[in-house]
Amino acid sequence: MDAQTWPVGFRCLLLLALVGSARSEGVQTCEEVRKLFQWRLLGAVRGLPDSPRAGPDLQVCISKKPTCCTRKMEERYQIAARQDMQQFLQTSSSTLKFLISRNAAAFQETLETLIKQAENYTSILFCSTYRNMALEAAASVQEFFTDVGLYLFGADVNPEEFVNRFFDSLFPLVYNHLINPGVTDSSLEYSECIRMARRDVSPFGNIPQRVMGQMGRSLLPSRTFLQALNLGIEVINTTDYLHFSKECSRALLKMQYCPHCQGLALTKPCMGYCLNVMRGCLAHMAELNPHWHAYIRSLEELSDAMHGTYDIGHVLLNFHLLVNDAVLQAHLNGQKLLEQVNRICGRPVRTPTQSPRCSFDQSKEKHGMKTTTRNSEETLANRRKEFINSLRLYRSFYGGLADQLCANELAAADGLPCWNGEDIVKSYTQRVVGNGIKAQSGNPEVKVKGIDPVINQIIDKLKHVVQLLQGRSPKPDKWELLQLGSGGGMVEQVSGDCDDEDGCGGSGSGEVKRTLKITDSRGWFTELCSLITATSNEVGLNIFPVLPTDRKGRLNKNTPNGAFE
């Protein structure tokens, strides 16, 4: 690590070691200035004066007194001043940047875990209750949860489409194994006809629509929340490397390094002087403040509202219960559905076959599913709450950044002699301006011109994401959900309350965590199904309905309805 990349505080300590004391009188020799310059700017530079002299060629560090600086030194000092400023900005934002990036990664990891758990629950449902169709359902289950993940993490996929695709693919399996079981159609065309008939005959009642509603209410807020966090990181990255105007660069040079030319290396700028320079240099950045404040407030409102059927964890971990309800509804209306399918698709030539089943191999118990008790402190909701509580402290970050830098790093303490841009004084007597572009018209130290296009671009992005966060925030009465991406046409009015129809009280809300590495669908299902018995015994809990079947694996239609609840 070279001297230019050393922390500012460390460099200040080294300055103290290099310079015995600050001089308030004219210097007799430039030796200490030469040492500091060579250390700060990496090595010897030709033409450094040995003693103070007139500096008629200087552009910024102009003084009536003899100077130890040359035009070449002044140019190098200006580069150093910009580098220092950039490092000050990066240091000031480092904690905030780490807070957002760490939580964005944690939220994404938690969502991935929830998706995997929900996929495991759904797969176990088929293996434990509908074993004959489990292997055939594997690909559809895996595809559905892959689409869930793609949508959550920003891909242009439509929830309405992948929910319909899942239930379309489920109907031929239910028809062949429960409604007209014992034989399997050899014709792919006939299975496709059954799949296409699903939306006409509605074998699953309103359950697909309920799934669409629940997925929409929970997936979109989480997707928007993640997108907003990524934008927050982008905002900080951009402001960390902000380009400074020529006027700002000259002002920074005058404030930080012109004292060196007079041998005043340890003298800090007066507080008022520092505020004028920093507020001028960061005037455009201060314009971010109201939009940054609105961004954090909108994140907080969305986070607070993401509960019940707006809570993605609740919805995903209860998905398998709705799938079970859908299959049971189709099974109980089997005769009616059989007649409807016969009218639409005809009566095919069918060939008896043996349906593949899940294999229960107790010897594979050692490869079993890891189960742990769900800890409420690790839930997604609590993580969001902790994050928002920490983020709230930074609501005025950009509005107070100039003041923070002067108070913590740059300016002299009250009552101490300080640099006013020309000499050592007891106090700064010029007018001190406020923050923001409008306040800079009377700034005596920095002229602020025009509009920074980079800052304007960030402001536009913040406005957009705030609109997304506020527009998607669930309200107590109703929430109008506008789908993103390719599904831009779907609009759904839903109640904000969690009722029985939404399955809020379902036992599948996940009292246990399940983690299983998934490879290919067929191999994974064979292994997964072999572990269900061992897992159920281990946790002492059966959250998946096991219904009576006959010798051919068909559900017993004489089973009382209570057994299906």
Side-chain angles (χ1 to χ4, degrees):
M1 182 169 63
D2 56 47
Q4 288 182 314
T5 61
W6 288 346
V8 175
F10 180 77
R11 295 208 302 268
C12 289
L13 290 176
L14 193 53
L15 283 174
L16 288 171
L18 290 170
V19 181
S21 62
R23 291 181 172 86
S24 59
E25 302 176 355
V27 292
Q28 302 300 318
T29 176
C30 294
E31 181 181 357
E32 292 175 350
V33 176
R34 288 165 55 90
K35 288 180 181 178
L36 289 173
F37 183 84
Q38 291 173 4
W39 165 78
R40 176 64 180 87
L41 301 175
L42 301 178
V45 179
R46 292 181 180 179
L48 297 183
D50 294 321
S51 59
R53 64 184 185 181
D57 58 341
L58 297 181
Q59 300 294 308
V60 179
C61 298
I62 302 172
S63 174
K64 297 178 181 179
K65 299 177 183 179
T67 178
C68 287
C69 288
T70 64
R71 176 71 180 276
K72 190 69 175 178
M73 291 173 66
E74 190 180 59
E75 292 174 355
R76 298 288 293 273
Y77 273 138
Q78 186 158 322
I79 296 173
R82 286 198 298 265
Q83 291 174 342
D84 287 347
M85 183 63 175
Q86 191 171 84
Q87 190 172 70
F88 283 134
L89 292 177
Q90 293 171 9
T91 301
S92 298
S93 67
S94 60
T95 304
L96 172 60
K97 182 178 178 180
F98 178 72
L99 173 68
I100 298 178
S101 58
R102 179 191 61 185
N103 280 278
F107 292 145
Q108 179 162 332
E109 182 180 356
T110 302
L111 289 174
E112 290 171 350
T113 300
L114 283 172
I115 293 170
K116 194 65 66 180
Q117 286 180 266
E119 184 174 351
N120 290 349
Y121 281 4
T122 307
S123 302
I124 294 172
L125 168 70
F126 280 103
C127 282
S128 63
T129 307
Y130 309 109
R131 296 172 60 187
N132 285 350
M133 69 177 80
L135 210 58
E136 295 173 81
S140 296
V141 171
Q142 193 172 53
E143 180 184 16
F144 175 81
F145 286 102
T146 297
D147 286 335
V148 168
L150 288 173
Y151 178 78
L152 276 175
F153 304 134
D156 187 18
V157 293
N158 185 350
E160 182 180 9
E161 291 179 0
F162 64 69
V163 170
N164 272 324
R165 189 161 56 245
F166 173 79
F167 284 103
D168 287 347
S169 64
L170 181 62
F171 184 42
L173 304 183
V174 174
Y175 183 84
N176 287 331
H177 293 285
L178 296 181
I179 296 174
N180 196 358
V183 290
T184 300
D185 179 27
S186 59
S187 168
L188 294 177
E189 290 80 3
Y190 192 75
S191 292
E192 178 64 16
C193 180
I194 298 175
R195 191 186 72 82
M196 296 294 292
R198 196 273 299 177
R199 303 186 199 190
D200 294 326
V201 303
S202 298
F204 307 125
N206 71 337
I207 291 176
Q209 287 70 35
R210 287 170 60 188
V211 172
M212 287 180 201
Q214 290 191 11
M215 288 291 169
R217 290 194 293 266
S218 62
L219 295 184
L220 183 56
S222 293
R223 170 184 166 119
T224 305
F225 194 84
L226 271 179
Q227 289 175 336
L229 296 190
N230 289 327
L231 176 62
I233 298 171
E234 180 184 346
V235 169
I236 298 170
N237 283 338
T238 303
T239 54
D240 275 354
Y241 295 93
L242 193 65
H243 174 74
F244 299 110
S245 67
K246 181 179 179 180
E247 291 78 8
C248 171
S249 296
R250 290 168 63 92
L252 290 173
L253 165 62
K254 187 176 181 181
M255 182 180 76
Q256 289 183 259
Y257 286 103
C258 284
H260 288 217
C261 297
Q262 299 182 30
L264 304 171
L266 298 183
T267 302
K268 288 190 172 185
C270 303
M271 177 60 75
Y273 175 47
C274 179
L275 289 174
N276 276 342
V277 172
M278 299 307 291
R279 287 175 179 178
C281 286
L282 302 180
H284 292 97
M285 196 181 295
E287 297 297 314
L288 285 171
N289 198 60
H291 307 286
W292 181 258
H293 192 284
Y295 161 79
I296 293 179
R297 185 181 65 250
S298 299
L299 275 176
E300 181 178 2
E301 291 173 355
L302 179 60
S303 179
D304 288 344
M306 290 164 66
H307 58 81
T309 53
Y310 299 110
D311 179 4
I312 189 171
H314 167 84
V315 170
L316 289 179
L317 296 179
N318 282 279
F319 173 73
H320 70 286
L321 296 179
L322 287 178
V323 172
N324 185 63
D325 290 345
V327 174
L328 290 178
Q329 184 162 335
H331 175 64
L332 294 174
N333 294 317
Q335 186 59 41
K336 178 181 177 182
L337 293 172
L338 180 63
E339 296 170 359
Q340 289 177 309
V341 170
N342 285 341
R343 284 198 300 271
I344 296 173
C345 300
R347 297 176 180 273
V349 177
R350 301 168 68 84
T351 305
T353 61
Q354 181 64 42
S355 300
R357 294 190 179 188
C358 294
S359 173
F360 288 85
D361 184 357
Q362 297 295 337
S363 66
K364 292 186 178 181
E365 181 177 354
K366 61 182 178 180
H367 302 295
M369 193 181 304
K370 181 181 179 182
T371 60
T372 57
T373 303
R374 193 172 190 175
N375 189 334
S376 61
E377 294 179 357
E378 296 178 354
T379 62
L380 199 58
N382 283 339
R383 285 189 178 184
R384 282 197 309 267
K385 184 177 180 180
E386 292 174 2
F387 166 63
I388 293 297
N389 286 339
S390 298
L391 189 62
R392 195 183 292 118
L393 301 176
Y394 295 90
R395 285 178 295 186
S396 300
F397 175 75
Y398 286 105
L401 186 55
D403 301 51
Q404 176 189 335
L405 289 175
C406 287
N408 296 344
E409 299 283 352
L410 299 174
D414 291 341
L416 294 180
C418 55
W419 172 255
N420 70 350
E422 296 179 357
D423 206 345
I424 299 296
V425 295
K426 292 183 178 179
S427 63
Y428 183 70
T429 58
Q430 297 278 10
R431 174 194 171 195
V432 179
V433 301
N435 283 294
I437 294 178
K438 291 182 179 180
Q440 303 310 308
S441 59
N443 194 327
E445 309 299 342
V446 185
K447 291 183 179 180
V448 179
K449 300 178 181 179
I451 298 174
D452 190 319
V454 175
I455 293 296
N456 272 4
Q457 186 179 26
I458 296 177
I459 289 175
D460 288 341
K461 289 184 178 182
L462 282 173
K463 286 180 178 178
H464 176 67
V465 81
V466 166
Q467 289 175 351
L468 286 179
L469 291 167
Q470 293 177 346
R472 295 334 190 248
S473 296
K475 301 298 188 292
D477 48 359
K478 286 187 176 182
W479 178 24
E480 183 175 337
L481 172 63
L482 303 177
Q483 292 288 5
L484 297 175
S486 59
M490 189 178 88
V491 178
E492 182 187 4
Q493 292 282 353
V494 296
S495 169
D497 297 324
C498 179
D499 49 34
D500 292 339
E501 184 179 284
D502 293 315
C504 294
S507 59
S509 58
E511 291 304 318
V512 292
K513 280 188 176 179
R514 301 169 185 268
T515 304
L516 180 67
K517 182 177 180 181
I518 298 178
T519 53
D520 61 281
S521 300
R522 183 173 296 271
W524 170 59
F525 265 74
T526 302
E527 180 175 0
L528 173 65
C529 292
S530 71
L531 303 172
I532 294 175
T533 302
T535 301
S536 299
N537 292 337
E538 178 185 351
V539 299
L541 178 66
N542 183 15
I543 62 173
F544 304 99
V546 180
L547 306 179
T549 58
D550 59 20
R551 293 182 179 179
K552 294 183 179 180
R554 297 175 295 189
L555 284 174
N556 186 349
K557 291 188 177 183
N558 296 324
T559 301
N561 288 342
F564 298 143
E565 297 175 353

